[in-house]
């Protein structure tokens, strides 16, 4: 990368992180809510979030950390800190999925399957997950090993003196079949429930493991396609997997998902090496990365596509900064598809800025709250002035995912710019990967 490009990229990264974190400190500080934002109840009402469900409650305190709201989610499985309203919506969706799974009698639905061959199938499954490479079971007729999530190396155990006859399967073979099918069952159940199959949120992840074991080892088909979990108003990312091509892709296998994302990135001019770095970065799940690639692909090849990917990669391992990039591009894709085509989309000071054929300039800021500190106001005001300097009068817009402070509204008005709050996101089923 040329020197001047490196400097510009470094400045863009620094700005984008300051937008997300709200500070240049290594550990960002969470501050009490400014009076203008209001109480927890005010926040939940303004965000149209149901703060209490059958198995969760959003509890005080809620804090402002950078430009993202930091929530406390109390569940039947413990208390979790959740950063950002978009992330909270996702977690609430996942708690709804947990509730659905809790009300499904998987043991009964499993019928006379492998579950009968193992005394404690869930504990057994847990051992497979925590001790990959060890024998599947010492209590069944055949033994095998788990390597990379696949059951392999089957041999007769000392207690099994004769091979199975005819088409009869030994209990060990049934267990092996269940283990091999478990991961796909987990992905299928998650997608049909509208949640990310690769979620790392423990309550739903554990429940998916439990359900997948019963599903994969069942001699009776267990149907979950009739499950429906409604999302909150504006929760276009939450629960989208059930109706999207991305969801169907994620059901197949991690290899399919990764290869599809690689091909999509390379078709946009991204090098094979950079595409590989992207699909293997640990900051986000496969589902989240697939949505990001879908947004890029839907927007089409741009001069700055590589810069956006590199900015995303540089946020690693900070999932907040990576998620900021995802949400920003979902805003840009919505504008391009439903309001006016973007002739160009460039990164300016770490923020995607689109330009229409008419010369209008639109910045896409994926913040819950912006302009509630002196630093944020300075950064946003500087961005607005820079945009106004190269745009026609009245043709500057700052799109914010959440809300902007009254002071920032006043400053933008003085600069001839307009702030659009609650800017919409493109619906995930509209995204394309190929």
């Amino acid at each position: 990368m040329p020197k001047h490009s490196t400097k510009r990229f470094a400045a863009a990264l620094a700005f984008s992180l300051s937008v997300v974190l709200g500070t240049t400190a290594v550990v960002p500080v969470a501050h009490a809510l400014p009076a203008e934002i209001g109480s927890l109840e005010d926040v939940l009402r303004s965000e149209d979030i149901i703060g209490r469900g059958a198995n969760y409650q959003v509890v005080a305190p809620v804090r402002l950390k950078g430009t993202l709201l930091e929530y406390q989610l109390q569940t039947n499985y413990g208390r979790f800190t959740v950063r950002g309203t978009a992330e909270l919506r996702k977690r609430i969706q996942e708690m709804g999925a947990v509730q659905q799974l809790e009300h499904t009698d998987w043991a009964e639905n499993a019928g006379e399957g492998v579950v009968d061959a193992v005394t404690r199938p869930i504990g057994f499954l847990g051992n497979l997950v925590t001790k990959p490479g060890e024998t599947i079971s010492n209590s069944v007729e055949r033994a095998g090993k788990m390597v990379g999530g696949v059951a392999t190396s089957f041999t007769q155990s000392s207690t099994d003196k004769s091979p199975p006859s005819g088409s009869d399967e030994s209990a060990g073979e049934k267990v092996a079949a269940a283990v091999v099918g478990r991961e796909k069952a987990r992905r299928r159940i998650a997608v049909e429930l509208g949640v990310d199959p690769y979620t790392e949120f423990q309550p739903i992840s554990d429940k998916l493991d439990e359900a997948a074991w019963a599903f994969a080892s069942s001699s009776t088909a267990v149907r979950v396609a009739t499950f429906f979990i409604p999302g909150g108003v504006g929760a276009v990312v939450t629960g989208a997997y059930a109706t999207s091509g991305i969801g169907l892709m994620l059901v197949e296998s991690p290899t399919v998902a990764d290869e599809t994302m690689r091909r999509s990135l390379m078709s946009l001019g991204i090098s094979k090496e950079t595409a590989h770095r992207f699909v293997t970065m640990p900051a986000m799940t496969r589902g989240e990365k697939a949505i990001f690639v879908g947004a890029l692909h839907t927007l089409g090849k741009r001069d700055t596509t590589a810069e956006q990917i590199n900015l995303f990669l540089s946020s690693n391992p900070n999932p907040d900064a990576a998620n900021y990039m995802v949400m920003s591009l979902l805003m840009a894709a919505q504008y391009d598809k439903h309001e006016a085509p973007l002739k160009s989309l460039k990164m300016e000071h770490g923020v995607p800025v689109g330009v229409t054929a008419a010369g209008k300039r639109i910045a896409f800021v994926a913040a819950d709250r912006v302009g509630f500190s002196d630093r944020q106001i300075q950064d946003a005001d500087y961005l607005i002035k820079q945009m106004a300097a190269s745009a026609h009068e009245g043709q500057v817009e700052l799109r914010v995912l959440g809300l902007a402070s009254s002071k920032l509204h006043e400053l933008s008005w003085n600069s001839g710019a307009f702030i659009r709050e609650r800017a919409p996101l493109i619906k995930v089923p509209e995204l394309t990967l190929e």
Side-chain angles (χ1 to χ4, degrees):
M1 189 182 291
K3 258 184 194 177
H4 66 278
S5 297
T6 304
K7 289 181 180 178
R8 186 178 71 248
F9 175 74
L13 175 61
F15 185 86
S16 68
L17 292 179
S18 74
V19 169
V20 178
L21 304 178
T23 177
T24 55
V26 174
V27 181
V29 178
H31 300 282
L33 292 177
E36 189 176 341
I37 292 180
S39 64
L40 170 61
E41 291 72 22
D42 294 330
V43 169
L44 295 177
R45 190 181 307 110
S46 68
E47 299 291 340
D48 197 23
I49 288 175
I50 300 174
R52 181 192 292 269
N55 56 6
Y56 78 88
Q57 182 180 359
V58 183
V59 299
V62 58
R63 299 183 182 278
L64 187 61
K65 192 173 182 181
T67 62
L68 299 180
L69 292 164
E70 186 177 82
Y71 300 90
Q72 299 299 315
L73 184 64
Q74 184 67 48
T75 76
N76 295 347
Y77 302 87
R79 186 165 176 164
F80 301 88
T81 298
V82 182
R83 187 114 194 270
T85 299
E87 192 75 2
L88 179 64
R89 285 198 175 102
K90 190 189 325 184
R91 296 301 178 228
I92 289 175
Q93 173 81 7
E94 289 171 330
M95 290 309 300
V98 168
Q99 181 74 358
Q100 293 280 12
L101 293 176
E102 284 176 338
H103 284 77
T104 300
D105 191 342
W106 293 102
E108 181 178 335
N109 279 312
E112 295 180 359
V114 169
V115 172
D116 297 325
V118 184
T119 306
R120 298 182 63 187
I122 304 307
F124 175 72
L125 174 64
N127 196 50
L128 291 179
V129 174
T130 57
K131 298 181 181 179
E134 295 194 5
T135 55
I136 288 180
S137 175
N138 292 323
S139 63
V140 296
E141 295 173 352
R142 287 174 179 266
K145 291 183 180 293
M146 287 292 293
V147 179
V150 179
T152 60
S153 304
F154 288 92
T155 58
Q156 283 189 316
S157 69
S158 59
T159 59
D160 186 13
K161 302 300 182 183
S162 58
S165 60
S167 60
D168 293 339
E169 285 185 301
S170 69
E173 287 171 323
K174 291 179 181 178
V175 170
V179 170
V180 172
R182 169 193 164 273
E183 285 303 319
K184 186 167 184 177
R186 186 187 196 277
R187 296 192 297 270
R188 176 183 170 187
I189 293 168
V191 165
E192 291 187 346
L193 287 171
V195 299
D196 185 350
Y198 294 95
T199 179
E200 296 177 350
F201 186 47
Q202 186 177 350
I204 182 61
S205 185
D206 289 349
K207 277 294 174 186
L208 286 172
D209 283 343
E210 180 180 333
W213 174 258
F215 187 97
S217 62
S218 174
S219 60
T220 305
V222 181
R223 294 186 59 81
V224 296
T226 56
F227 287 176
F228 175 69
I229 307 172
V233 174
V236 294
V237 176
T238 301
Y241 296 98
T243 57
S244 71
I246 287 177
L248 295 177
M249 175 195 73
L250 292 173
V251 168
E252 291 307 311
S253 75
T255 302
V256 169
D258 289 352
E259 184 57 30
T260 302
M261 286 191 285
R262 282 192 194 96
R263 287 200 309 267
S264 183
L265 290 174
M266 290 171 66
S267 73
L268 296 175
I270 303 301
S271 70
K272 184 177 180 179
E273 294 74 19
T274 300
H276 177 73
R277 283 180 58 213
F278 175 87
V279 298
T280 56
M281 70 176 290
M284 305 192 82
T285 69
R286 273 190 182 84
E288 292 164 337
K289 284 184 279 191
I291 288 175
F292 181 75
V293 176
L296 280 175
H297 199 276
T298 301
L299 282 163
K301 188 174 181 179
R302 309 270 177 174
D303 291 341
T304 56
T305 301
E307 187 175 357
Q308 292 168 27
I309 285 288
N310 285 323
L311 191 58
F312 187 95
L313 288 172
S314 296
S315 67
N316 188 38
N318 188 325
D320 291 333
N323 189 58
Y324 169 81
M325 293 296 299
V326 175
M327 304 303 283
S328 296
L329 285 186
L330 290 174
M331 294 164 67
Q334 189 280 335
Y335 190 97
D336 180 74
K337 189 175 181 68
H338 295 289
E339 301 194 38
L342 297 174
K343 186 177 67 174
S344 67
L345 182 68
K346 299 180 179 179
M347 300 302 296
E348 297 188 14
H349 310 288
V351 176
V353 175
V355 181
T356 68
K360 183 176 181 179
R361 296 170 67 81
I362 311 100
F364 303 96
V365 180
D368 289 335
R369 298 292 186 272
V370 63
F372 288 89
S373 72
D374 292 340
R375 174 63 185 274
Q376 289 176 16
I377 289 174
Q378 290 170 7
D379 287 342
D381 188 45
Y382 177 77
L383 174 64
I384 290 171
K385 284 184 169 63
Q386 291 295 305
M387 291 168 59
S390 55
H392 298 298
E393 185 177 352
Q395 291 291 300
V396 173
E397 185 175 334
L398 188 69
R399 291 204 153 203
V400 181
L401 189 61
L403 299 175
S405 68
S406 56
K407 186 172 182 180
L408 187 57
H409 273 285
E410 182 181 347
L411 287 171
S412 65
W413 182 264
N414 293 337
S415 298
F418 171 72
I419 295 180
R420 165 71 188 273
E421 299 177 311
R422 301 289 186 219
L425 306 172
I426 194 170
K427 290 179 170 57
V428 172
E430 296 181 79
L431 300 178
T432 59
L433 281 166
E434 295 183 290

